[in-house]
Structures are given as C-alpha cells and as structure tokens.
Amino acid sequence: MLAISSEDISRVVSRKEVADAVEQAMLTIESGDYIMPNRMHLHSGNDTMLIMPCISKGMISTKLVSVFPNNRDKGLPSLYGTLILNDGKTGEPLAIMNGATITALRTGAVGGVGVRHLAKKDAKALLVIGTGVQGRNLALSACLERKFQKVFTYDINFENAITFSKELQKELMGIDVVAVKSVNQGLLEADVVITATTSETPVLPLDKKLMENKCFIGIGSFKPNTRELPEELLSLTDTIFVDTPFAASECGDLAIPLASKILTNEKIVTIGKLINKAHQVKSPTRVFKSVGVALFDLFTANLIYQKALESGAGKPINL
Ligand SMILES: NC(=O)c1ccc[n+]([C@@H]2O[C@H](COP(=O)([O-])OP(=O)(O)OC[C@H]3O[C@@H](n4cnc5c(N)ncnc54)[C@H](O)[C@@H]3O)[C@@H](O)[C@H]2O)c1
C-alpha cells in the first residue's frame, strides 16, 4: 500500500490533468458507469463530517472529510481529509492519500471545467469571493481556462483578501490580482465570478443589472442552510447547471428557492449534458452550482495513483 502525501500529489499531477480527469467524471455521471450512494453527512452544530464512497474504473475510493468552519479562528484549515483507494476486483487497499489536497485540487478543477464550458471565450476579469483554500485553487484552475488580465478577490475579512491576493500574485505572473472592498466593485468588471465561502446568506447583490451576462460558479454551499447565490441570479438564466442531481436537495442555493417554488426542477441540468452536447444554454448569464461528488475524488485519486506508480512517488507502508 502506498502513502501519498500532499507534496507527492502536487509533484505527480498538474492542474490541467486533474481538470481533464474531472471532465471525464462529469461525462461518466451521464453514462451511469459508477456506483455512488448519496454521501453521508454527520452534523454536529456547525461542524460536518462527510463520508464519500464510490466505485468506478475498476477502483473503489472512500473519502472522509471534516468541515469545521470555526477552525480558521484557531489558525487551522477548515477542511481535513483522507482518501483510501481500493482495487475494485480484489478489494485490496492500494493507497491512502491526503484527502484535503485531493479536495482542493479537484474542486479547483470542477470550477475550471465550469469556466471551460460556460465562460465567454474572451473573458478578461475574474472575481473570487471567499479567499480560503478552495478560492486559491479555483482561481488557479480558472486562469488555465481563459486569458484573464485581472483577478479581483473579495472576502468578508478584508485582511484575508489582501494576504490571499499577495500570495496568489506570486503564482499568477502577468495577471493583476487586486483585493476589493465590496463585491459590487469586483462585479463591475468581472466576466466570471466564483463563490467559495462558508456563508449562510447570499454573497451576491440582489441587483440583477450587476449580474447580467456573466458566468457564475457557486462552490461553497453544501448544506440546506448555507447559501451564496441569490434567487435574483437564478432568474437571469434558463439553465442552472449542477455537478450532480443531489445538489438540488443538498445545498440551500437550490433547495431554498425550490421549496418556495421560485425555482423548478426542470431548470436544473447536470453539467455533463452540456459537455456531451445533450443540452444547450441560451441565456448569456451562466450559472453552475457544484457541491462536490465522490466520483470526482475517485477519478482524481486514480490519476494520482497511476502517476505515483509510474514515477515511484509515495511511500510503501504496511498497516
Ligand atoms: N463544491 C465543492 O466541491 C466543495 C469542495 C470543498 C469545499 N467546499 C466548500 O467551500 C467552502 C469554502 O471552503 P474552504 O476550504 O475554502 O474554506 P476556508 O475556511 O478556507 O475559506 C472560506 C473563506 O470564505 C470567507 N467568507 C465566509 N463568509 C463570507 C461571506 N459572507 N462573504 C465573503 N467571504 C466569506 C471566509 O472569511 C474565508 O476566507 C466551504 O463551505 C466548503 O465546505 C465545496
């Protein structure tokens, strides 16, 4: 069995490879060639433990993720994770991997694939709302998909946005990274908007004019009481793309307007149907909501495992 650390993962795979693997996973959701129960949520107050098993591609992956939003106040990451990969034919455990790094890489890639298929080709400015771990990965993956000249960053904690922007600037040569004091300031110029916060209320304005003709990627909300996208945004488009059908019941972004009948299920379509051209979007305002799916972890972990075997990365361990 191989122990594959965060450093090993960053060494053996590129963001582009992970985006391509996630795109294949989105297509696999359409073909149905997988076994994946709804993930289990264990809630304790604001804290959540997620258990995410999946079978596909001759592999079994199980990811355990903790999301403890108040960890930031303790100087700790809000998300920890561990992923175990088993052989699908024998059940043999093949690898144990850093699940937080897999989550961050594949979540960035999910947003990147959203930008790949939904953002206008000449998009010049990106706004990232929520400058945490996912925000960084989403910004880096999005910048592989379009030639952004500017990245605006906004966080409820402005100091976070400033520190984040300085760090991100080192990784994004030739792109201006600017922390803004209000969402509206970033929205005025942004073509693509990514939300990656732990907010329980919409992080976007209710003013439709400010949101028209842009591409929105919602990442943060994953519980019925968490929300980033206002109903005003959902009304600007003919299709709300999701990564998985269970997004509709899992996140407040969709579950709340569905419950109040402001949104109907007919408008919600999996993004794989856009990629395989089974569905076309007409509205210039684009919305993609991701809650994260175990199948993305499996495709990413399998890629990492194969590349680790090829390059000799990872540490053999006996349990
Ligand atoms: N869709 C997915 O696949 C997926 C995967 C991983 C994490 N997530 C979710 O994404 C969210 C962010 O995760 P993270 O690991 O980056 O967390 P994080 O704690 O590292 O960062 C969250 C950031 O959001 C900011 N924030 C909170 N409320 C805000 C608001 N109202 N407006 C602006 N900024 C606000 C915080 O100050 C913080 O900087 C979490 O809710 C997490 O559960 C989703």
Side-chain angles (χ1 to χ4, degrees):
M1 185 181 189
L2 272 186
I4 303 181
S5 67
S6 180
E7 289 72 28
D8 293 328
I9 294 171
S10 308
R11 208 149 34 88
V12 297
V13 286
S14 68
R15 287 185 190 280
K16 164 85 171 62
E17 287 170 325
V18 177
D20 293 344
V22 163
E23 188 175 59
Q24 287 308 310
M26 288 168 171
L27 290 170
T28 301
I29 289 184
E30 301 309 315
S31 69
D33 192 12
Y34 64 95
I35 301 168
M36 182 173 65
N38 284 358
R39 59 189 177 184
M40 186 189 284
H41 285 234
L42 301 178
H43 297 302
S44 167
N46 266 343
D47 302 330
T48 306
M49 191 77 201
L50 295 172
I51 301 164
M52 301 173 67
C54 185
I55 303 179
S56 190
K57 286 183 86 81
M59 292 286 177
I60 307 167
S61 73
T62 309
K63 190 174 80 172
L64 307 172
V65 197
S66 57
V67 185
F68 282 49
N70 298 333
N71 271 7
R72 280 192 79 99
D73 306 337
K74 301 171 191 153
L76 296 170
S78 50
L79 190 149
Y80 289 98
T82 308
L83 184 142
I84 298 170
L85 191 68
N86 297 68
D87 185 302
K89 288 200 184 76
T90 62
E92 181 192 351
L94 301 172
I96 181 163
M97 309 187 189
N98 185 314
T101 302
I102 290 178
T103 302
L105 262 181
R106 70 86 158 133
T107 303
V110 170
V113 176
V115 173
R116 184 181 289 180
H117 292 281
L118 287 169
K120 55 184 185 188
K121 295 276 178 262
D122 62 348
K124 290 191 176 50
L126 169 70
L127 166 63
V128 178
I129 304 176
T131 58
V133 175
Q134 313 311 322
R136 172 180 169 269
N137 282 277
L138 285 152
L140 292 173
S141 292
C143 287
L144 292 178
E145 303 295 339
R146 292 292 183 271
K147 289 192 174 118
F148 292 116
Q149 294 168 1
K150 270 191 181 173
V151 175
F152 297 105
T153 68
Y154 172 80
D155 199 281
I156 199 161
N157 178 336
F158 188 55
E159 288 306 313
N160 277 1
I162 291 179
T163 313
F164 175 93
S165 299
K166 283 186 185 147
E167 289 303 311
L168 193 62
Q169 185 65 82
K170 292 180 199 157
E171 300 187 78
L172 292 177
M173 304 301 272
I175 301 177
D176 263 354
V177 184
V178 184
V180 288
K181 284 200 164 159
S182 74
V183 169
N184 289 9
Q185 197 185 335
L187 270 179
L188 285 174
E189 268 190 66
D191 305 293
V192 177
V193 181
I194 297 177
T195 60
T197 75
T198 45
S199 182
E200 293 185 0
T201 51
V203 296
L204 293 164
L206 310 183
D207 183 348
K208 290 188 190 179
K209 282 262 165 284
L210 274 172
M211 298 187 285
E212 273 172 355
N213 304 335
K214 301 178 192 296
C215 166
F216 292 83
I217 314 273
I219 295 289
S221 161
F222 72 107
K223 292 194 279 189
N225 68 329
T226 56
R227 241 187 139 176
E228 298 184 305
L229 312 178
E231 282 146 15
E232 284 72 6
L233 170 65
L234 306 185
S235 70
L236 285 173
T237 183
D238 58 280
T239 310
I240 318 285
F241 290 102
V242 288
D243 49 0
T244 162
F246 70 67
S249 55
E250 196 175 90
C251 68
D253 283 333
L254 304 180
I256 294 169
L258 277 171
S260 58
K261 305 217 183 319
I262 289 170
L263 176 66
T264 58
N265 270 308
E266 292 70 56
K267 222 170 140 169
I268 301 174
V269 175
T270 45
I271 193 152
K273 290 192 177 61
L274 177 74
I275 301 171
N276 72 13
K277 304 200 176 0
H279 183 93
Q280 284 184 342
V281 53
K282 294 184 192 78
S283 313
T285 308
R286 308 285 169 83
V287 179
F288 172 38
K289 169 61 202 156
S290 156
V291 290
V293 182
L295 192 67
F296 299 160
D297 297 315
L298 186 146
F299 271 64
T300 305
N302 187 38
L303 172 73
I304 292 166
Y305 178 65
Q306 302 303 337
K307 300 222 42 171
L309 287 182
E310 277 165 35
S311 63
K315 189 172 157 200
I317 54 165
N318 280 319
L319 292 179

